[in-house]
Amino acid sequence: MEKIKEVIVVEGKTDTAVIKKLFDADTIETNGLAIDDKTLDLIEQANLKRGVIVLTDPDYPGMRIRNIIIERVPNIKQAFVDKKDAIGEKKLGIAEAREEAIIEALKNVVTFTKDVETITWQEFISLDIIGDKKRRMKVYDLFHLGYGNAKTLFKRLNMAQITKQDILEKLGE
């Protein structure tokens, strides 16, 4: 069983159970949107000592939790499971995700850096991503950046320091 050095932040107990089944890893549970200062302190400390990977559900509450953590602990590692790979019978989430999708997400961790512009808005527009959802989702997938709208993609591309050239190369253009 592969060991993961960093502590993985998940939303709840069922997510922890899935992670522990796949990896030798420690987790911190946020208790969903009930994440509090005590949990954020724990995440901050874990990040200083071992590093932290945020792996929340690919839905609005999961994004909200991720943003709360990033506010407190910038430059944290992040892993994303695609929505299509996390749909269960009644729920959407990490606990319902395909095991391969979780393994893939944790192999393709990204770190975002704020206040760096590697792609301008004009360059972004020139890529024809804004009006083409299929193309936008392909870019999200190619760079393992989760999901979202065009504005979120633009922000994440800059935070992950991805250039227009990087995008064109990955798209094979």
Side-chain angles (χ1 to χ4, degrees):
M1 187 177 286
E2 189 179 338
K3 173 137 183 71
I4 295 180
K5 176 186 77 120
E6 297 90 347
V7 177
I8 302 171
V9 176
V10 294
E11 292 183 41
K13 289 179 175 61
T14 53
D15 299 337
T16 290
V18 170
I19 296 298
K20 290 200 179 281
K21 179 179 162 195
L22 300 173
F23 298 98
D24 176 6
D26 295 317
T27 61
I28 295 173
E29 295 164 6
T30 67
N31 296 312
L33 277 168
I35 188 168
D36 57 15
D37 283 334
K38 190 174 161 194
T39 305
L40 288 167
D41 289 345
L42 188 59
I43 292 169
E44 210 167 15
Q45 284 307 308
N47 193 47
L48 290 172
K49 300 280 187 212
R50 293 174 50 189
V52 169
I53 301 170
V54 178
L55 180 66
T56 56
D57 297 347
D59 57 10
Y60 178 77
M63 293 305 293
R64 183 85 190 96
I65 294 162
R66 197 179 283 274
N67 290 337
I68 290 167
I69 294 168
I70 292 168
E71 260 323 289
R72 180 75 168 270
V73 190
N75 303 333
I76 201 165
K77 294 178 183 176
Q78 301 194 49
F80 296 93
V81 170
D82 288 336
K83 236 180 186 171
K84 69 178 179 350
D85 294 325
I87 299 170
E89 290 201 16
K90 293 184 173 132
K91 264 188 80 189
L92 169 80
I94 298 303
E96 291 74 28
R98 292 182 315 105
E99 290 182 357
E100 299 81 28
I102 295 170
I103 293 165
E104 188 69 19
L106 288 168
K107 280 185 182 168
N108 292 288
V109 170
V110 293
T111 304
F112 294 145
T113 310
K114 286 189 174 214
D115 304 324
V116 176
E117 188 172 85
T118 54
I119 183 169
T120 66
W121 184 247
Q122 286 309 117
E123 288 174 323
F124 184 71
I125 289 171
S126 75
L127 291 167
D128 291 326
I129 291 172
I130 293 177
D132 188 341
K133 185 175 182 182
K134 195 173 172 186
R135 188 170 168 88
R136 181 173 74 240
M137 297 320 283
K138 187 173 183 178
V139 173
Y140 267 118
D141 289 345
L142 287 170
F143 291 98
H144 308 283
L145 298 173
Y147 77 101
N149 61 24
K151 193 174 172 186
T152 300
L153 178 58
F154 174 70
K155 206 162 96 180
R156 287 188 184 163
L157 288 169
N158 274 305
M159 288 170 31
Q161 299 182 342
I162 295 166
T163 66
K164 179 181 179 180
Q165 192 57 44
D166 295 334
I167 296 165
L168 291 172
E169 283 173 19
K170 284 263 190 174
L171 288 171
E173 297 173 9

PDB file of all heavy atoms in Angstrom, residues 13 20 32 36 38 47-48 55 61-62 71 79 112 128 134-135 137 142 145 152 156 160 164 166:
ATOM      1  N   LYS A  13     -16.176  11.181   7.506  1.00  0.00           N
ATOM      2  CA  LYS A  13     -15.715   9.835   7.867  1.00  0.00           C
ATOM      3  C   LYS A  13     -15.696   8.859   6.695  1.00  0.00           C
ATOM      4  O   LYS A  13     -14.785   8.050   6.569  1.00  0.00           O
ATOM      5  CB  LYS A  13     -16.615   9.266   8.975  1.00  0.00           C
ATOM      6  CG  LYS A  13     -16.451   9.922  10.319  1.00  0.00           C
ATOM      7  CD  LYS A  13     -17.421   9.299  11.338  1.00  0.00           C
ATOM      8  CE  LYS A  13     -17.236   9.806  12.733  1.00  0.00           C
ATOM      9  NZ  LYS A  13     -17.444  11.230  12.923  1.00  0.00           N
ATOM     10  N   LYS A  20      -8.213   5.551   3.378  1.00  0.00           N
ATOM     11  CA  LYS A  20      -7.441   4.559   4.143  1.00  0.00           C
ATOM     12  C   LYS A  20      -7.467   3.176   3.488  1.00  0.00           C
ATOM     13  O   LYS A  20      -6.558   2.377   3.677  1.00  0.00           O
ATOM     14  CB  LYS A  20      -7.924   4.508   5.582  1.00  0.00           C
ATOM     15  CG  LYS A  20      -7.551   5.786   6.337  1.00  0.00           C
ATOM     16  CD  LYS A  20      -7.574   5.588   7.830  1.00  0.00           C
ATOM     17  CE  LYS A  20      -7.176   6.829   8.568  1.00  0.00           C
ATOM     18  NZ  LYS A  20      -5.738   7.052   8.609  1.00  0.00           N
ATOM     19  N   GLY A  32     -17.760  18.582   6.713  1.00  0.00           N
ATOM     20  CA  GLY A  32     -18.478  19.340   5.693  1.00  0.00           C
ATOM     21  C   GLY A  32     -18.281  20.829   5.877  1.00  0.00           C
ATOM     22  O   GLY A  32     -17.207  21.291   6.261  1.00  0.00           O
ATOM     23  N   ASP A  36     -14.420  24.535  11.255  1.00  0.00           N
ATOM     24  CA  ASP A  36     -14.274  25.609  12.247  1.00  0.00           C
ATOM     25  C   ASP A  36     -12.806  26.008  12.405  1.00  0.00           C
ATOM     26  O   ASP A  36     -11.920  25.418  11.788  1.00  0.00           O
ATOM     27  CB  ASP A  36     -14.878  25.174  13.587  1.00  0.00           C
ATOM     28  CG  ASP A  36     -14.258  23.887  14.122  1.00  0.00           C
ATOM     29  OD1 ASP A  36     -13.182  23.476  13.638  1.00  0.00           O
ATOM     30  OD2 ASP A  36     -14.848  23.285  15.039  1.00  0.00           O
ATOM     31  N   LYS A  38     -10.794  25.560  14.869  1.00  0.00           N
ATOM     32  CA  LYS A  38      -9.985  24.489  15.441  1.00  0.00           C
ATOM     33  C   LYS A  38      -9.460  23.572  14.319  1.00  0.00           C
ATOM     34  O   LYS A  38      -8.290  23.198  14.303  1.00  0.00           O
ATOM     35  CB  LYS A  38     -10.845  23.708  16.440  1.00  0.00           C
ATOM     36  CG  LYS A  38     -10.090  22.726  17.282  1.00  0.00           C
ATOM     37  CD  LYS A  38     -11.019  22.116  18.332  1.00  0.00           C
ATOM     38  CE  LYS A  38     -10.428  20.837  18.863  1.00  0.00           C
ATOM     39  NZ  LYS A  38     -11.372  20.035  19.611  1.00  0.00           N
ATOM     40  N   ASN A  47       0.156  21.374   7.685  1.00  0.00           N
ATOM     41  CA  ASN A  47       0.811  21.876   6.480  1.00  0.00           C
ATOM     42  C   ASN A  47       2.251  22.285   6.767  1.00  0.00           C
ATOM     43  O   ASN A  47       3.140  22.045   5.956  1.00  0.00           O
ATOM     44  CB  ASN A  47       0.021  23.041   5.881  1.00  0.00           C
ATOM     45  CG  ASN A  47       0.476  23.368   4.479  1.00  0.00           C
ATOM     46  OD1 ASN A  47       0.630  22.477   3.645  1.00  0.00           O
ATOM     47  ND2 ASN A  47       0.693  24.633   4.207  1.00  0.00           N
ATOM     48  N   LEU A  48       2.496  22.869   7.933  1.00  0.00           N
ATOM     49  CA  LEU A  48       3.853  23.268   8.311  1.00  0.00           C
ATOM     50  C   LEU A  48       4.761  22.049   8.522  1.00  0.00           C
ATOM     51  O   LEU A  48       5.929  22.068   8.155  1.00  0.00           O
ATOM     52  CB  LEU A  48       3.830  24.107   9.591  1.00  0.00           C
ATOM     53  CG  LEU A  48       3.226  25.506   9.476  1.00  0.00           C
ATOM     54  CD1 LEU A  48       3.083  26.136  10.862  1.00  0.00           C
ATOM     55  CD2 LEU A  48       4.076  26.391   8.570  1.00  0.00           C
ATOM     56  N   LEU A  55      -8.717  17.431  -0.664  1.00  0.00           N
ATOM     57  CA  LEU A  55      -9.484  16.571  -1.571  1.00  0.00           C
ATOM     58  C   LEU A  55     -10.945  16.602  -1.118  1.00  0.00           C
ATOM     59  O   LEU A  55     -11.373  15.798  -0.297  1.00  0.00           O
ATOM     60  CB  LEU A  55      -8.941  15.136  -1.533  1.00  0.00           C
ATOM     61  CG  LEU A  55      -9.650  14.124  -2.428  1.00  0.00           C
ATOM     62  CD1 LEU A  55      -9.448  14.464  -3.906  1.00  0.00           C
ATOM     63  CD2 LEU A  55      -9.151  12.714  -2.149  1.00  0.00           C
ATOM     64  N   PRO A  61     -20.570  22.824  -2.108  1.00  0.00           N
ATOM     65  CA  PRO A  61     -20.026  22.823  -0.735  1.00  0.00           C
ATOM     66  C   PRO A  61     -18.537  22.446  -0.693  1.00  0.00           C
ATOM     67  O   PRO A  61     -17.763  23.031   0.065  1.00  0.00           O
ATOM     68  CB  PRO A  61     -20.885  21.794   0.006  1.00  0.00           C
ATOM     69  CG  PRO A  61     -22.168  21.761  -0.768  1.00  0.00           C
ATOM     70  CD  PRO A  61     -21.777  21.985  -2.205  1.00  0.00           C
ATOM     71  N   GLY A  62     -18.137  21.501  -1.539  1.00  0.00           N
ATOM     72  CA  GLY A  62     -16.725  21.099  -1.596  1.00  0.00           C
ATOM     73  C   GLY A  62     -15.833  22.247  -2.032  1.00  0.00           C
ATOM     74  O   GLY A  62     -14.746  22.455  -1.481  1.00  0.00           O
ATOM     75  N   GLU A  71      -8.031  30.371   1.933  1.00  0.00           N
ATOM     76  CA  GLU A  71      -7.970  31.691   2.585  1.00  0.00           C
ATOM     77  C   GLU A  71      -7.008  31.663   3.757  1.00  0.00           C
ATOM     78  O   GLU A  71      -6.223  32.562   3.957  1.00  0.00           O
ATOM     79  CB  GLU A  71      -9.344  32.073   3.136  1.00  0.00           C
ATOM     80  CG  GLU A  71     -10.215  33.011   2.365  1.00  0.00           C
ATOM     81  CD  GLU A  71      -9.546  34.148   1.636  1.00  0.00           C
ATOM     82  OE1 GLU A  71      -9.060  35.097   2.286  1.00  0.00           O
ATOM     83  OE2 GLU A  71      -9.518  34.109   0.404  1.00  0.00           O
ATOM     84  N   ALA A  79      -6.009  18.345  -4.814  1.00  0.00           N
ATOM     85  CA  ALA A  79      -6.309  17.237  -5.713  1.00  0.00           C
ATOM     86  C   ALA A  79      -7.788  17.331  -6.072  1.00  0.00           C
ATOM     87  O   ALA A  79      -8.612  17.667  -5.222  1.00  0.00           O
ATOM     88  CB  ALA A  79      -6.005  15.903  -5.023  1.00  0.00           C
ATOM     89  N   PHE A 112      -1.445  25.989  -6.118  1.00  0.00           N
ATOM     90  CA  PHE A 112      -1.775  27.288  -6.683  1.00  0.00           C
ATOM     91  C   PHE A 112      -0.966  28.384  -6.006  1.00  0.00           C
ATOM     92  O   PHE A 112      -0.765  28.359  -4.794  1.00  0.00           O
ATOM     93  CB  PHE A 112      -3.264  27.599  -6.497  1.00  0.00           C
ATOM     94  CG  PHE A 112      -4.174  26.687  -7.271  1.00  0.00           C
ATOM     95  CD1 PHE A 112      -5.399  26.314  -6.742  1.00  0.00           C
ATOM     96  CD2 PHE A 112      -3.833  26.213  -8.527  1.00  0.00           C
ATOM     97  CE1 PHE A 112      -6.255  25.485  -7.455  1.00  0.00           C
ATOM     98  CE2 PHE A 112      -4.685  25.382  -9.241  1.00  0.00           C
ATOM     99  CZ  PHE A 112      -5.906  25.027  -8.708  1.00  0.00           C
ATOM    100  N   ASP A 128     -10.496  30.403 -27.308  1.00  0.00           N
ATOM    101  CA  ASP A 128     -11.876  29.956 -27.593  1.00  0.00           C
ATOM    102  C   ASP A 128     -12.405  28.984 -26.533  1.00  0.00           C
ATOM    103  O   ASP A 128     -13.029  27.980 -26.854  1.00  0.00           O
ATOM    104  CB  ASP A 128     -11.974  29.303 -28.977  1.00  0.00           C
ATOM    105  CG  ASP A 128     -11.784  30.310 -30.093  1.00  0.00           C
ATOM    106  OD1 ASP A 128     -12.205  31.461 -29.912  1.00  0.00           O
ATOM    107  OD2 ASP A 128     -11.212  29.931 -31.127  1.00  0.00           O
ATOM    108  N   LYS A 134     -17.199  22.222 -23.773  1.00  0.00           N
ATOM    109  CA  LYS A 134     -16.473  20.968 -23.993  1.00  0.00           C
ATOM    110  C   LYS A 134     -14.956  21.227 -23.975  1.00  0.00           C
ATOM    111  O   LYS A 134     -14.203  20.498 -23.341  1.00  0.00           O
ATOM    112  CB  LYS A 134     -16.914  20.370 -25.328  1.00  0.00           C
ATOM    113  CG  LYS A 134     -16.530  18.945 -25.523  1.00  0.00           C
ATOM    114  CD  LYS A 134     -17.161  18.400 -26.794  1.00  0.00           C
ATOM    115  CE  LYS A 134     -16.623  17.029 -27.094  1.00  0.00           C
ATOM    116  NZ  LYS A 134     -17.097  16.530 -28.387  1.00  0.00           N
ATOM    117  N   ARG A 135     -14.549  22.277 -24.649  1.00  0.00           N
ATOM    118  CA  ARG A 135     -13.123  22.647 -24.694  1.00  0.00           C
ATOM    119  C   ARG A 135     -12.637  23.072 -23.301  1.00  0.00           C
ATOM    120  O   ARG A 135     -11.544  22.710 -22.871  1.00  0.00           O
ATOM    121  CB  ARG A 135     -12.933  23.776 -25.706  1.00  0.00           C
ATOM    122  CG  ARG A 135     -11.500  24.136 -25.995  1.00  0.00           C
ATOM    123  CD  ARG A 135     -11.467  25.087 -27.195  1.00  0.00           C
ATOM    124  NE  ARG A 135     -10.187  25.725 -27.407  1.00  0.00           N
ATOM    125  CZ  ARG A 135      -9.205  25.213 -28.132  1.00  0.00           C
ATOM    126  NH1 ARG A 135      -9.363  24.043 -28.725  1.00  0.00           N
ATOM    127  NH2 ARG A 135      -8.074  25.871 -28.288  1.00  0.00           N
ATOM    128  N   MET A 137     -13.839  22.137 -20.381  1.00  0.00           N
ATOM    129  CA  MET A 137     -13.729  20.947 -19.520  1.00  0.00           C
ATOM    130  C   MET A 137     -12.490  20.123 -19.885  1.00  0.00           C
ATOM    131  O   MET A 137     -11.867  19.529 -19.017  1.00  0.00           O
ATOM    132  CB  MET A 137     -15.003  20.097 -19.607  1.00  0.00           C
ATOM    133  CG  MET A 137     -16.260  20.823 -19.091  1.00  0.00           C
ATOM    134  SD  MET A 137     -16.029  21.824 -17.605  1.00  0.00           S
ATOM    135  CE  MET A 137     -15.980  20.597 -16.346  1.00  0.00           C
ATOM    136  N   LEU A 142      -7.107  18.175 -18.585  1.00  0.00           N
ATOM    137  CA  LEU A 142      -5.696  18.042 -18.965  1.00  0.00           C
ATOM    138  C   LEU A 142      -4.743  18.504 -17.870  1.00  0.00           C
ATOM    139  O   LEU A 142      -3.668  17.949 -17.694  1.00  0.00           O
ATOM    140  CB  LEU A 142      -5.417  18.831 -20.249  1.00  0.00           C
ATOM    141  CG  LEU A 142      -5.969  18.240 -21.541  1.00  0.00           C
ATOM    142  CD1 LEU A 142      -5.839  19.243 -22.684  1.00  0.00           C
ATOM    143  CD2 LEU A 142      -5.264  16.934 -21.893  1.00  0.00           C
ATOM    144  N   LEU A 145      -7.451  20.412 -12.819  1.00  0.00           N
ATOM    145  CA  LEU A 145      -7.813  21.604 -12.064  1.00  0.00           C
ATOM    146  C   LEU A 145      -9.239  21.580 -11.534  1.00  0.00           C
ATOM    147  O   LEU A 145      -9.789  22.615 -11.181  1.00  0.00           O
ATOM    148  CB  LEU A 145      -7.616  22.855 -12.944  1.00  0.00           C
ATOM    149  CG  LEU A 145      -6.183  23.119 -13.412  1.00  0.00           C
ATOM    150  CD1 LEU A 145      -6.147  24.270 -14.394  1.00  0.00           C
ATOM    151  CD2 LEU A 145      -5.264  23.374 -12.235  1.00  0.00           C
ATOM    152  N   THR A 152     -13.362  30.911 -13.364  1.00  0.00           N
ATOM    153  CA  THR A 152     -12.627  30.075 -12.400  1.00  0.00           C
ATOM    154  C   THR A 152     -11.435  29.415 -13.080  1.00  0.00           C
ATOM    155  O   THR A 152     -10.341  29.352 -12.513  1.00  0.00           O
ATOM    156  CB  THR A 152     -13.562  29.009 -11.795  1.00  0.00           C
ATOM    157  OG1 THR A 152     -14.638  29.669 -11.134  1.00  0.00           O
ATOM    158  CG2 THR A 152     -12.832  28.119 -10.804  1.00  0.00           C
ATOM    159  N   ARG A 156      -7.552  29.747 -12.048  1.00  0.00           N
ATOM    160  CA  ARG A 156      -6.748  28.563 -11.688  1.00  0.00           C
ATOM    161  C   ARG A 156      -5.556  28.372 -12.604  1.00  0.00           C
ATOM    162  O   ARG A 156      -4.501  27.914 -12.158  1.00  0.00           O
ATOM    163  CB  ARG A 156      -7.623  27.306 -11.686  1.00  0.00           C
ATOM    164  CG  ARG A 156      -8.549  27.288 -10.504  1.00  0.00           C
ATOM    165  CD  ARG A 156      -9.256  25.979 -10.389  1.00  0.00           C
ATOM    166  NE  ARG A 156     -10.218  26.036  -9.298  1.00  0.00           N
ATOM    167  CZ  ARG A 156     -11.194  25.177  -9.154  1.00  0.00           C
ATOM    168  NH1 ARG A 156     -11.344  24.180 -10.002  1.00  0.00           N
ATOM    169  NH2 ARG A 156     -12.023  25.286  -8.147  1.00  0.00           N
ATOM    170  N   ALA A 160      -1.925  28.177 -11.070  1.00  0.00           N
ATOM    171  CA  ALA A 160      -1.086  26.997 -11.303  1.00  0.00           C
ATOM    172  C   ALA A 160       0.093  27.332 -12.225  1.00  0.00           C
ATOM    173  O   ALA A 160       0.860  26.450 -12.600  1.00  0.00           O
ATOM    174  CB  ALA A 160      -1.919  25.867 -11.894  1.00  0.00           C
ATOM    175  N   LYS A 164      -0.351  30.179 -21.972  1.00  0.00           N
ATOM    176  CA  LYS A 164      -1.110  29.885 -23.196  1.00  0.00           C
ATOM    177  C   LYS A 164      -0.397  28.781 -23.983  1.00  0.00           C
ATOM    178  O   LYS A 164      -1.036  27.867 -24.495  1.00  0.00           O
ATOM    179  CB  LYS A 164      -1.242  31.156 -24.049  1.00  0.00           C
ATOM    180  CG  LYS A 164      -1.987  30.932 -25.345  1.00  0.00           C
ATOM    181  CD  LYS A 164      -2.089  32.191 -26.184  1.00  0.00           C
ATOM    182  CE  LYS A 164      -2.819  31.901 -27.485  1.00  0.00           C
ATOM    183  NZ  LYS A 164      -2.932  33.097 -28.332  1.00  0.00           N
ATOM    184  N   ASP A 166       1.521  26.384 -22.827  1.00  0.00           N
ATOM    185  CA  ASP A 166       1.295  25.090 -22.163  1.00  0.00           C
ATOM    186  C   ASP A 166      -0.052  24.500 -22.594  1.00  0.00           C
ATOM    187  O   ASP A 166      -0.158  23.298 -22.858  1.00  0.00           O
ATOM    188  CB  ASP A 166       1.266  25.266 -20.629  1.00  0.00           C
ATOM    189  CG  ASP A 166       2.590  25.725 -20.045  1.00  0.00           C
ATOM    190  OD1 ASP A 166       3.652  25.461 -20.657  1.00  0.00           O
ATOM    191  OD2 ASP A 166       2.563  26.357 -18.969  1.00  0.00           O
TER     192      ASP A 166
END
